[in-house]
């Protein structure tokens, strides 16, 4: 955000007509040089967006860029701003820190394909996720001992926020998997999922 070049940023192009582009920021991206420059080759004619990610900066995406498939565009500049941070501690119901808990941060809302970031708590039960966009997010923690309630952090209002997540949800579903003869079936995978009708109320209840 100071106008200085950002080296080692990962830059990827996605087709602007695709609402949910599938890209791998490590396999599909190019890396900027010491002067912040990048080159994306073999792009077909059409409308593209270019996204850059780097360290503690927030991801930034260009407006749609029109390509004719023949002439290179060299007038593209992506300006990266300082990213938001969500940090905190995961505790058990007695207040003791929980190491090795998985913490997920998702864009606030009810869409099932929300963008997410994950981290594991360290030996002191703390975590820190940086380089986030300044917008509202939902934060939740899971561990073999339980899960936390969903906490909301508005990073647009405050870029560096601390949250405490308590693993006080410990409900369980138990049972036995059997084959068509009634015999126990070992190594079966069991998944629990909410029953949704597709309404906004359902998604609000389970988001």
């Amino acid at each position: 955000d100071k106008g200085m070049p950002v080296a080692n940023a990962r830059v990827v192009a996605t087709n602007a007509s695709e609402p949910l582009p599938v890209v791998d920021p490590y396999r599909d991206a190019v890396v900027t040089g010491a002067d912040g420059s990048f080159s994306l080759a073999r792009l077909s004619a059409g409308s593209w967006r270019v996204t850059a990610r780097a360290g503690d900066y927030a991801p930034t995406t260009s407006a749609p860029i029109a390509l004719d498939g023949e002439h290179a565009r060299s007038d593209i500049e992506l300006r990266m701003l300082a990213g938001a941070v969500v940090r905190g501690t995961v505790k058990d119901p007695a207040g003791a820190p929980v190491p090795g808990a998985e913490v997920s941060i998702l864009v606030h809302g009810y869409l099932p394909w929300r963008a997410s970031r994950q981290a594991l708590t360290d030996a002191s039960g703390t975590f820190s996720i940086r380089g986030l966009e300044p917008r509202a997010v939902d934060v939740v923690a899971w561990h073999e001992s339980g899960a936390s309630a969903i906490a909301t952090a508005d990073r647009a209002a405050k870029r560096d926020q601390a949250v405490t997540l308590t693993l006080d949800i410990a409900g369980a579903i138990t049972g036995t998997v059997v084959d068509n003869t009634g015999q126990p079936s070992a190594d079966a995978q069991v998944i629990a999922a909410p029953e949704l009708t597709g309404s906004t109320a359902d998604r609000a209840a389970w988001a």
Side-chain angles (χ1 to χ4, degrees):
D1 56 356
K2 298 179 181 179
M4 302 297 292
V6 177
N8 299 317
R10 292 188 173 273
V11 183
V12 64
T14 56
N15 193 309
S17 65
E18 296 183 14
L20 298 172
V22 178
V23 294
D24 186 325
Y26 292 95
R27 296 172 62 93
D28 301 329
V30 298
V31 179
T32 58
D35 61 352
S37 64
F38 64 90
S39 178
L40 294 161
R42 298 184 297 277
L43 296 180
S44 62
S47 184
W48 295 82
R49 296 182 189 272
V50 178
T51 299
R53 294 177 173 83
D56 292 346
Y57 292 99
T60 184
T61 300
S62 71
I65 301 167
L67 298 180
D68 61 12
E70 297 181 6
H71 302 90
R73 291 282 302 270
S74 59
D75 57 340
I76 309 304
E77 181 180 273
L78 300 175
R79 185 169 292 271
M80 306 199 74
L81 303 176
V85 181
V86 174
R87 67 181 83 242
T89 305
V90 177
K91 298 182 178 182
D92 65 20
V98 179
E102 180 181 350
V103 179
S104 290
I105 293 180
L106 302 91
V107 173
H108 182 66
Y110 310 137
L111 298 177
W113 57 82
R114 291 180 289 169
S116 65
R117 293 275 301 278
Q118 288 80 33
L120 293 175
T121 56
D122 61 18
S124 63
T126 62
F127 67 92
S128 178
I129 300 179
R130 300 174 174 272
L132 301 170
E133 296 179 79
R135 60 188 301 177
V137 294
D138 294 331
V139 189
V140 64
W142 287 278
H143 187 262
E144 61 183 12
S145 61
S148 74
I150 297 173
T152 298
D154 187 357
R155 296 169 305 178
K158 186 178 180 182
R159 286 183 176 266
D160 192 332
Q161 296 194 28
V163 297
T164 298
L165 303 172
T166 302
L167 303 178
D168 53 7
I169 300 175
I173 299 174
T174 61
T176 303
V177 177
V178 299
D179 61 21
N180 58 354
T181 66
Q183 296 299 308
S185 180
D187 300 322
Q189 183 181 36
V190 180
I191 300 174
E195 182 177 358
L196 300 175
T197 64
S199 71
T200 303
D202 278 348
R203 298 203 180 279
W206 288 100

